[in-house]
């Protein structure tokens, strides 16, 4: 059958867009006339509406949000510095994703190292004694991300010099939570650790209070 | 909104980072969701989102206004995600065989109950090819017209319609299969 110059198969192809309401007035009229005479097409519209409803309601994990924006600003700033600097190598570093394997390797190394550090530093005071005599570990007070090129040794040195250890992470976007060693979680102590972390921009690409 | 978006791009082209912040906050969720629908990997999706926004910052001055800003941004996201998929190892993603999907498509009325089960719909959408998933996402999540989808994915309108047609058939077959296996 031909409606307004369109064949049935053409109208079938338009059904998903009839369902999402984006067809032109002329197309909508043609599809509606087609639906009147075609129960199979009406069933398809019902099915497509159900599918659209499910796609719309599908929940996924949160997007990177403000952390993603901070990462973007940092990379733009880095790129602009590189653009502004004399062309030492004649190349511009782009934000490509060649670093992922390195980042994953660094993350694994950090996690393994963190396991050792927990054991090695327990006497150093990252444990918080409770009245019942139980041991609880101090919660993360800082969050950081590491440079893709940072080695496990770099990360270890930075964490130790700032008096911190890994308490949580990495998240899906590579953020780690850090706790302070020594049990002193005063603002001054946290700020001091933060300053030390931020001073190592070659290893720590992002650091802020939790 | 379109005018405001274009103004944001003009400001970005002049190096105004507060315009980037505004733009990012406005589009980040939408762009991330689109990339995520193509990649099925939150780490990769966050990474590609960063690449897309970086590209928007660098290319803001080159936006010519021939399409909506959202179409332009989603187009960049599409190409960046495709680049990422191409860099992945072959065989990493398991996709529904289009030949199989074409075979004996079930009746829509019979698969309707299956299409009302969120988990099963998600399972079946995840099995579609990247090209089919993109069209389904843009048509059903973004509610975009086929012409705009064609601009985003860079193919003729007829191809968008055919991809949707094949995606629908594949989904129906997958849902009917799950129903038959008693998973619904």
């Amino acid at each position: 059958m031909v409606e307004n110059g369109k064949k049935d198969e053409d109208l079938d192809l338009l059904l998903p867009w009839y369902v999402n309401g984006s067809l032109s007035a002329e197309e909508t009229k043609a599809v509606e006339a087609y639906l009147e005479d075609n129960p199979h097409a009406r069933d398809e519209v019902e099915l497509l509406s159900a599918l659209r409803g499910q796609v719309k309601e599908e929940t996924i994990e949160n997007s990177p949000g403000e952390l993603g924006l901070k990462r973007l600003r940092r990379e733009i700033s880095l790129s602009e510095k590189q653009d502004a600097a004399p062309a030492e190598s004649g190349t511009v570093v782009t934000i490509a994703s060649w670093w992922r394997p390195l980042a994953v390797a660094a993350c694994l190394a950090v996690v393994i190292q963190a396991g050792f550090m927990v054991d090695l530093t327990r006497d150093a005071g990252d444990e918080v004694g409770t009245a019942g005599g139980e041991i609880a570990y101090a919660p993360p007070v800082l969050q950081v991300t590491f440079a893709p090129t940072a080695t496990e040794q770099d990360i270890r040195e930075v964490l130790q010099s700032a008096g911190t250890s890994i308490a949580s992470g990495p998240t899906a976007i590579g953020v780690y939570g850090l706790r302070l060693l020594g049990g002193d979680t005063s603002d001054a102590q946290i700020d001091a650790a933060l300053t030390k972390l931020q001073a190592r921009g070659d290893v720590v690409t992002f650091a802020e209070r939790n | 909104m379109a005018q405001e978006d274009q103004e944001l791009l003009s400001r970005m082209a002049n190096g105004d980072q507060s315009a980037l912040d505004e733009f990012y906050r406005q589009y980040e969720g939408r762009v991330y969701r689109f990339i995520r629908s193509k990649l099925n990997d939150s780490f990769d999706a966050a990474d590609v989102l960063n690449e897309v926004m970086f590209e928007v910052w660098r290319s803001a001055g080159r936006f010519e206004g021939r399409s909506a800003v959202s179409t332009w941004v989603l187009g960049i996201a599409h190409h960046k995600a495709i680049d990422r998929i191409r860099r992945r190892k072959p065989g990493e993603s398991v996709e529904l065989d289009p030949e199989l999907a074409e075979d004996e498509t079930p009746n829509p009325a019979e698969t309707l109950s299956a299409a009302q089960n969120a988990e099963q719909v998600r399972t079946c959408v995840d099995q579609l090819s990247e090209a089919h998933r993109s069209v389904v996402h843009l048509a059903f999540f973004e509610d975009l017209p086929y012409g705009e989808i064609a601009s985003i994915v860079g193919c003729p309108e007829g191809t968008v319609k055919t991809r949707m047609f094949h995606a629908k058939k594949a989904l129906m077959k997958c849902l009917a299969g799950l129903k038959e296996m008693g998973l619904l």
Side-chain angles (χ1 to χ4, degrees):
Chain A
M1 186 167 65
V2 176
E3 290 282 351
N4 293 337
K6 287 190 186 295
K7 293 178 186 171
D8 285 359
E9 49 265 39
D10 294 334
L11 294 165
D12 266 333
L13 293 176
L14 291 181
L15 294 180
W17 287 278
Y18 174 73
V19 165
N20 81 6
S22 68
L23 292 180
S24 68
E26 189 190 346
E27 287 171 325
T28 303
K29 198 174 158 192
V31 169
E32 282 173 350
Y34 172 59
L35 291 175
E36 270 184 29
D37 300 332
N38 194 324
H40 183 82
R42 288 199 295 273
D43 287 344
E44 281 222 10
V45 164
E46 204 176 344
L47 174 75
L48 290 166
S49 299
L51 287 171
R52 175 171 169 262
Q54 298 300 347
V55 169
K56 276 202 178 299
E57 284 175 19
E58 186 192 345
T59 52
I60 59 168
E61 73 284 344
N62 288 336
S63 57
E66 290 300 304
L67 278 177
L69 180 57
K70 283 177 181 170
R71 174 185 173 188
L72 177 66
R73 283 198 206 116
R74 191 175 56 244
E75 292 186 355
I76 287 171
S77 163
L78 179 66
S79 164
E80 286 174 351
K81 278 179 196 163
Q82 285 169 342
D83 287 347
E88 288 172 15
S89 63
T91 57
V92 175
V93 175
T94 57
I95 310 303
S97 26
W98 49 265
W99 59 270
R100 186 181 177 183
L102 291 174
V104 170
C107 290
L108 283 173
V110 167
V111 169
I112 293 164
Q113 181 64 20
F116 286 115
M117 286 177 72
V118 166
D119 279 331
L120 293 171
T121 58
R122 276 183 183 176
D123 291 334
D126 65 332
E127 297 164 345
V128 177
T130 62
E134 296 167 357
I135 298 298
Y137 289 95
V141 292
L142 294 163
Q143 49 183 348
V144 296
T145 57
F146 298 111
T149 49
T151 64
E152 181 276 331
Q153 187 182 354
D154 295 335
I155 293 169
R156 176 161 30 102
E157 283 171 6
V158 170
L159 293 179
Q160 287 175 342
S161 73
T164 57
S165 69
I166 291 173
S168 63
T171 66
I173 56 171
V175 179
Y176 290 85
L178 302 184
R179 68 165 71 89
L180 295 183
L181 300 173
D184 179 0
T185 54
S186 64
D187 280 351
Q189 201 65 27
I190 295 172
D191 285 342
L194 186 58
T195 304
K196 284 181 182 167
L197 292 166
Q198 287 171 335
R200 288 296 305 272
D202 56 323
V203 176
V204 177
T205 50
F206 160 78
E208 71 171 17
R209 278 168 168 268
N210 208 5
Chain B
M1 179 61 79
Q3 185 62 32
E4 287 167 17
D5 286 350
Q6 289 205 26
E7 281 170 18
L8 285 178
L9 289 179
S10 301
R11 285 168 53 201
M12 277 193 258
N14 290 322
D16 180 349
Q17 285 216 14
S18 69
L20 172 69
D21 293 358
E22 240 179 281
F23 187 91
Y24 178 93
R25 289 183 181 121
Q26 190 169 315
Y27 279 100
E28 176 254 352
R30 228 174 128 182
V31 173
Y32 177 80
R33 196 172 180 112
F34 176 50
I35 298 167
R36 177 70 175 70
S37 78
K38 294 166 81 69
L39 298 180
N40 275 340
D41 179 310
S42 58
F43 193 105
D44 269 355
D47 215 19
V48 172
L49 170 71
N50 185 65
E51 289 178 15
V52 171
M53 291 298 180
F54 195 87
E55 181 68 31
V56 166
W57 170 254
R58 290 166 77 110
S59 313
R62 295 201 289 274
F63 177 72
E64 294 172 350
R66 285 187 296 186
S67 65
V69 172
S70 57
T71 306
W72 181 66
V73 178
L74 291 173
I76 294 173
H78 169 77
H79 291 295
K80 295 281 181 194
I82 294 290
D83 284 347
R84 177 59 58 104
I85 291 166
R86 284 183 182 142
R87 286 202 298 270
R88 283 175 171 171
K89 287 179 185 172
E92 185 179 317
S93 61
V94 179
E95 294 176 345
L96 200 65
D97 182 348
E99 296 294 324
L100 282 175
E102 287 302 303
D103 205 26
E104 291 180 20
T105 307
N107 188 304
E110 287 166 12
T111 44
L112 181 60
S113 64
Q116 287 161 341
N117 182 309
E119 195 183 331
Q120 305 305 336
V121 169
R122 182 175 184 156
T123 301
C124 292
V125 169
D126 283 350
Q127 288 184 53
L128 293 174
S129 70
E130 175 281 322
H132 289 168
R133 259 198 325 270
S134 287
V135 176
V136 168
H137 178 88
L138 294 169
F140 284 168
F141 185 78
E142 292 282 346
D143 284 340
L144 294 177
Y146 55 80
E148 208 168 321
I149 297 175
S151 300
I152 291 169
V153 303
C155 69
E157 290 180 356
T159 306
V160 170
K161 291 179 192 169
T162 334
R163 280 183 188 170
M164 188 64 173
F165 179 80
H166 290 305
K168 177 187 71 183
K169 298 283 181 197
L171 287 173
M172 286 167 70
K173 189 167 171 64
C174 173
L175 289 167
L178 293 176
K179 195 175 174 184
E180 249 181 57
M181 286 190 288
L183 295 174
L184 290 170

